[in-house]
Amino acid sequence: MKICMVGAGYVGLVSAACLAEVGNEVICVDKDESRITRLCEGVVPIYEPDLERLVQRNLRSGRLRFTTDLKEAVRRSLIVILAVGTPASPDGSSDLSHVDAVVAEIGGLLEEYRILVMKSTVPVGTHARIITALRSRTSVPFDYVANPEFLKEGGAVEDFMRPDRVIIGTTSPRARDVMAELYAPFMRKSNRVLFMDPMSAEMTKYAANAMLATRISFMNEIAYLCEKVGADVEHVRRGLGSDPRIGSAFLFPGVGFGGSCFPKDITSLIHTGRSHGLAMDLVRAVWRVNEAARERFAERIREYFAGRESDVTLAVWGLAFKAGTDDIRESPALYCVRRFLDWGMRVKAYDPEAGQAALTALNRQIRLCANACEALDDSDALVVLTDWQEFRTPDFESIRSRLKRPVIFDGRNLYDPGRARQAGLEYHCVGRPSRPNNECE
Ligand code: NAD
């Protein structure tokens, strides 16, 4: 099939490479010229496991091409997929300016029937607005498909190649058949394509992200109560997650959620609810608990060093919003680092992939380290903010001997408090007693 992918970011680039991998001819368009120049040379501008290999192989085969020329890409393709950004506006609603700009351009370019597929996350009801906008610009027939994307950064290629489900929202039988064919190569074990109307497809995306965010905020609230009563949230999490009706995913307490999706999708959902007269009480509470989670964690560190902030250097492990990505958008780690800097603390930080992006975002106010050990040297405490695999089994002896004070603040609950304590470290995490409840004094 001939496909035009508009947007070469996390979603567009992964989707384009995976669609090319299964034999389609894909032209990926982006307005960012330097990004396209680098991609044409096989240089992938984002970190995503396995993506570079996939992009380079499909570039070599000629099935994947990159351009800034939308006109040519639309002319050659039956399917035009939009994967441009939909960030939050200052009032919390979705900023659809990128989507609107592409739709306006496409409206002036159509020469024959095309299927417009919306992979960007857009508020419920956007399909009707876009169809009207396109109809006002062209008399050429087209179909519209709401096809929200569910891949997660850090495992995006795997998710696209083996999706849990694919949501297709369209009223057109013709578009439905083409989309079924497009996704058939990813459905060889079982068919996980769900067809529905565009309104429900748009809503499914927001409902899924709100549910996942709710689980995280819920677990954070339970963790705070654990701290008050002396329970261990790690036991509670396991006990809770073993119920098959609940399941164990997205029940990790810590510094809260961030990233390019959950925060903006939550505020957008609240905005949509309000515009229909609904208070969205539960989703607003999820948001409030999340804002408090990162502040509470940062504040705990400030309290520990109260009065001595300007003498303190913190070793920070992790800047990305989660493990497996270089994405720092709305990263709780960056939020905490900004707070530390506000309070006059110095920060030596290490992240396997997100260091340079964070350094720029923080106006070079931190010292970026080449590895995790270097960050520890001459620091007053270790602060763990991203759950990268390489932080999970540290050499506690080395941490203790390198730090000026043997103290860890773990915002991801990565370590066993007993092990840390045995190594002579003071260990602070979220929702766990520093001493096991069944341990004799
Ligand atoms: P991104 O910011 O990484 O990429 C967007 C790309 O679109 C950029 O490269 C930008 O230059 C390009 N672009 C913007 N306007 C353009 C135009 N007029 N013409 C051509 N290119 C244009 O964004 P992303 O993270 O890939 O997200 C894209 C959409 O997918 C968003 O709506 C997001 O909510 C949704 N989504 C993201 C994820 C994720 O994990 N990142 C997961 C599911 C859904």
Side-chain angles (χ1 to χ4, degrees), residues 6-12 29-32 35 83-86 98 101-102 105 119-122 149-153 205 260-261 264-265 327 329:
V6 190
Y10 287 87
V11 168
V29 185
D30 203 290
K31 64 176 185 179
D32 181 339
R35 176 167 283 228
V84 296
T86 49
H98 298 300
V102 178
E105 218 179 320
K119 219 172 233 315
S120 298
T121 304
V122 291
E149 181 52 57
F150 293 91
L151 60 74
K152 56 185 177 305
E153 288 176 22
K205 174 66 190 173
S260 66
C261 292
K264 77 171 175 64
D265 292 350
D327 200 343
R329 290 178 281 187

Side-chain angles (χ1 to χ4, degrees), residues 89-100:
S89 299
D91 68 354
S93 63
S94 296
D95 172 357
L96 294 179
S97 56
H98 298 300
V99 167
D100 288 342

Side-chain angles (χ1 to χ4, degrees), residues 190-313:
S190 63
N191 195 346
R192 289 154 336 265
V193 179
L194 301 174
F195 294 101
M196 57 185 76
D197 60 280
M199 193 75 91
S200 305
E202 289 168 346
M203 181 65 98
T204 304
K205 174 66 190 173
Y206 284 95
N209 276 359
M211 172 61 96
L212 294 172
T214 300
R215 289 173 69 99
I216 295 171
S217 280
F218 173 80
M219 215 54 212
N220 273 330
E221 198 157 81
I222 292 293
Y224 307 148
L225 192 54
C226 284
E227 283 173 11
K228 296 281 182 204
V229 300
D232 183 336
V233 75
E234 190 54 21
H235 293 314
V236 177
R237 184 184 69 75
R238 285 168 201 247
L240 187 66
S242 348
D243 184 332
R245 293 168 303 177
I246 296 172
S248 56
F250 279 78
L251 287 182
F252 290 92
V255 281
F257 59 79
S260 66
C261 292
F262 284 9
K264 77 171 175 64
D265 292 350
I266 295 289
T267 59
S268 176
L269 188 60
I270 294 170
H271 198 270
T272 304
R274 281 204 180 130
S275 64
H276 288 85
L278 282 179
M280 306 301 283
D281 290 326
L282 179 59
V283 189
R284 279 195 296 137
V286 167
W287 178 255
R288 276 200 310 275
V289 171
N290 193 59
E291 294 225 293
R294 51 196 191 166
E295 178 64 20
R296 186 186 171 104
F297 186 74
E299 185 63 42
R300 199 156 150 187
I301 296 164
R302 191 187 68 82
E303 270 172 22
Y304 185 88
F305 291 106
R308 293 172 284 155
E309 289 90 339
S310 56
D311 294 328
V312 168
T313 301

Side-chain angles (χ1 to χ4, degrees), residues 115-138:
I115 300 173
L116 186 68
V117 178
M118 185 59 70
K119 219 172 233 315
S120 298
T121 304
V122 291
V124 185
T126 301
H127 64 281
R129 201 167 67 69
I130 290 179
I131 291 169
T132 307
L134 265 181
R135 290 229 167 97
S136 71
R137 285 184 167 84
T138 182

